[in-house]
Amino acid sequence: MALKAVHVSDVPNLDQVPDNVALDFCATRFCNGVNGDSDEVKGSFKFPKFVVMGHRGTGMNMLQSPDKRMKSIKENTILAFNAATSLPLDFIEFDVQVTKDECPVIFHDNFILTQEKDLIVQKRVTDLSLEEFLSYGPQKEPGKVGKPMFRKLKDGRIFEWKFDDQIDYEEEQLSHILQVILQVVFKHAKDRPIFFSSFQPDAALLIRKLQSTYPVFFLTNGGAQNYTDVRRGSLDEAIKVCMVGGLQGIVSEVKAIFKNPGVLARIKECKLSLVTYGELNNVPEVVFLQRLMGVEGVIVDLVEEITEAVTDLISNVNGEEESLFGEDGKMILKTKLEISKDELSFLFTKLIPELIQSN
């Protein structure tokens, strides 16, 4: 189980994080807290504006892709986070797991693969000690070579660099894992705006019970995959999870929103925030359309290209010069945007269906 944590992009310019470092800086965008007038999250939560988030830093790695942008910087690393700070992002999304000896680590896949005697072997990250985990990949010590790393795709192909998201956790074990993560967050978060999200319903509900400082969102692919837990099977189930547990919002695969746009009204009626993720969010027109539909934020991989393209789209609407960024370089979207009926019809009836089909 990988708990998702979305984190503002103001990270120090470091290639490595020193041991026992304390990060003392204030997030410039939301220094007064996510609610503005309260340190505690109560009831509904709304972002103060449309937000763009860097997926695992500057974008996830797609090792099978011929597009060099999808693998130029290793995901979920300090290098990726630092590179993202040069762009007008509001948040950085990253993944947190806890090792066997109770150390939170930033890593996406549940399993880590390596090669031993010409055989590919895998181990679950949560079954490794921190020392074992750090023995994989590049090493800090000059001349020291780490174990080679591989990634297994859902179709079975293996690339050097498996996915199992069906595991069930006992509440006591899950609570302990989340408390380990929360201890680190409370120690180092300072005034940074943060929200948690998880594909595991019980994890999302439990972290909401354990703390009331940060918003908690439920992650869902909207029914694109079958799960034994029915709560993970649709956006309607995601809404139920949020309402039962007092969660603040949903992070959905973007295709689920376009396949079932009527769900947006129900999400708004329940006073839930909505953020999307997925490969379609690397298409500027798709991001722009979501802004018009009322989606509050997007998680993207092609960070630089999307922020630049969305700027152009906003500026060229009806020939008006509207800027996406203020003088300080921070992202600002106008509250009133207009688009012709013909353009909107084209997006809904032609472009979006074609993109969903091709992906």
Side-chain angles (χ1 to χ4, degrees):
M1 184 274 295
L3 181 74
K4 304 279 183 175
V6 182
H7 189 295
V8 73
S9 59
D10 297 331
V11 297
N13 188 25
L14 299 172
D15 292 325
Q16 300 284 348
V17 177
D19 294 335
N20 302 319
V21 66
L23 305 178
D24 284 322
F25 55 83
C26 178
T28 58
R29 295 163 183 77
F30 310 121
C31 279
N32 293 327
V34 292
N35 284 348
D37 58 355
S38 172
D39 291 333
E40 183 172 334
V41 177
K42 296 179 179 178
S44 62
F45 164 79
K46 296 295 179 185
F47 291 100
K49 61 185 182 64
F50 186 77
V51 295
V52 177
M53 311 176 192
H55 192 199
R56 306 179 198 172
T58 52
M60 71 173 180
N61 295 149
M62 295 184 63
L63 304 182
Q64 73 278 21
S65 173
D67 191 337
K68 294 182 178 179
R69 296 173 298 176
M70 304 302 291
K71 46 192 173 184
S72 60
I73 299 178
K74 189 175 180 182
E75 67 184 34
N76 276 333
T77 62
I78 295 297
L79 180 61
F81 299 158
N82 285 336
T85 63
S86 64
L87 304 168
L89 287 171
D90 299 284
F91 289 84
I92 291 173
E93 183 268 354
F94 60 83
D95 309 272
V96 180
Q97 301 190 61
V98 177
T99 61
K100 182 172 64 176
D101 50 351
E102 302 184 356
C103 181
V105 294
I106 298 176
F107 193 77
H108 175 270
D109 297 7
N110 290 325
F111 288 93
I112 192 166
L113 282 74
T114 192
Q115 188 172 20
E116 295 179 0
K117 297 180 180 180
D118 297 326
L119 296 175
I120 298 295
V121 296
Q122 66 179 22
K123 294 184 179 179
R124 186 179 289 276
V125 173
T126 53
D127 290 337
L128 299 173
S129 68
L130 178 62
E131 182 179 4
E132 290 173 313
F133 176 79
L134 294 177
S135 69
Y136 292 83
Q139 302 294 297
K140 290 183 180 181
E141 300 176 22
K144 186 177 181 180
V145 179
K147 298 177 183 177
M149 293 178 63
F150 295 82
R151 167 169 280 175
K152 186 176 182 180
L153 306 185
K154 293 182 181 180
D155 61 11
R157 288 181 294 165
I158 294 177
F159 291 83
E160 187 166 5
W161 160 138
K162 178 183 174 186
F163 192 81
D164 174 13
D165 204 23
Q166 301 278 6
I167 188 170
D168 293 323
Y169 290 86
E170 297 293 334
E171 182 173 349
E172 183 178 355
Q173 178 190 13
L174 189 56
S175 177
H176 184 72
I177 291 171
L178 296 178
Q179 289 184 60
V180 170
I181 294 172
L182 286 172
Q183 287 175 4
V184 175
V185 172
F186 287 138
K187 182 177 181 180
H188 297 293
K190 307 298 183 183
D191 293 322
R192 298 184 186 90
I194 292 172
F195 71 84
F196 295 105
S197 62
S198 177
F199 283 108
Q200 297 283 351
D202 292 330
L205 295 171
L206 189 52
I207 202 165
R208 181 71 179 99
K209 291 180 180 178
L210 292 173
Q211 59 84 42
S212 58
T213 301
Y214 303 111
V216 180
F217 285 42
F218 181 46
L219 261 168
T220 178
N221 61 24
Q225 185 176 346
N226 293 325
Y227 296 97
T228 56
D229 189 337
V230 296
R231 296 174 297 175
R232 305 180 65 181
S234 69
L235 281 168
D236 287 325
E237 288 295 330
I239 293 173
K240 292 178 184 178
V241 170
C242 291
M243 299 307 294
V244 168
L247 307 188
Q248 282 72 41
I250 296 171
V251 180
S252 171
E253 218 288 338
V254 62
K255 286 187 286 187
I257 299 298
F258 287 120
K259 289 179 178 178
N260 183 18
V263 76
L264 279 164
R266 296 196 292 277
I267 291 173
K268 297 301 179 184
E269 288 173 2
C270 294
K271 298 182 179 180
L272 298 172
S273 291
L274 176 63
V275 173
T276 67
Y277 74 93
E279 292 182 43
L280 282 182
N281 279 354
N282 293 320
V283 180
E285 292 83 358
V286 174
V287 173
F288 184 66
L289 180 56
Q290 289 179 79
R291 172 66 179 88
L292 298 179
M293 293 169 65
V295 175
E296 296 179 44
V298 291
I299 301 172
V300 305
D301 294 304
L302 302 181
V303 176
E304 183 173 2
E305 290 82 353
I306 290 300
T307 51
E308 290 179 356
V310 172
T311 303
D312 293 337
L313 282 172
I314 300 298
S315 299
N316 293 329
V317 171
N318 294 332
E320 296 180 3
E321 290 296 323
E322 294 192 61
S323 176
L324 184 63
F325 308 109
E327 294 180 356
D328 59 355
K330 311 306 180 189
M331 182 173 288
I332 300 174
L333 275 172
K334 305 299 183 182
T335 57
K336 295 182 179 180
L337 297 174
E338 297 181 5
I339 187 169
S340 71
K341 292 183 179 179
D342 289 340
E343 290 171 321
L344 195 60
S345 176
F346 170 75
L347 288 172
F348 266 116
T349 63
K350 186 172 177 61
L351 179 61
I352 300 300
E354 287 182 357
L355 288 172
I356 291 176
Q357 185 67 29
S358 64
N359 283 270

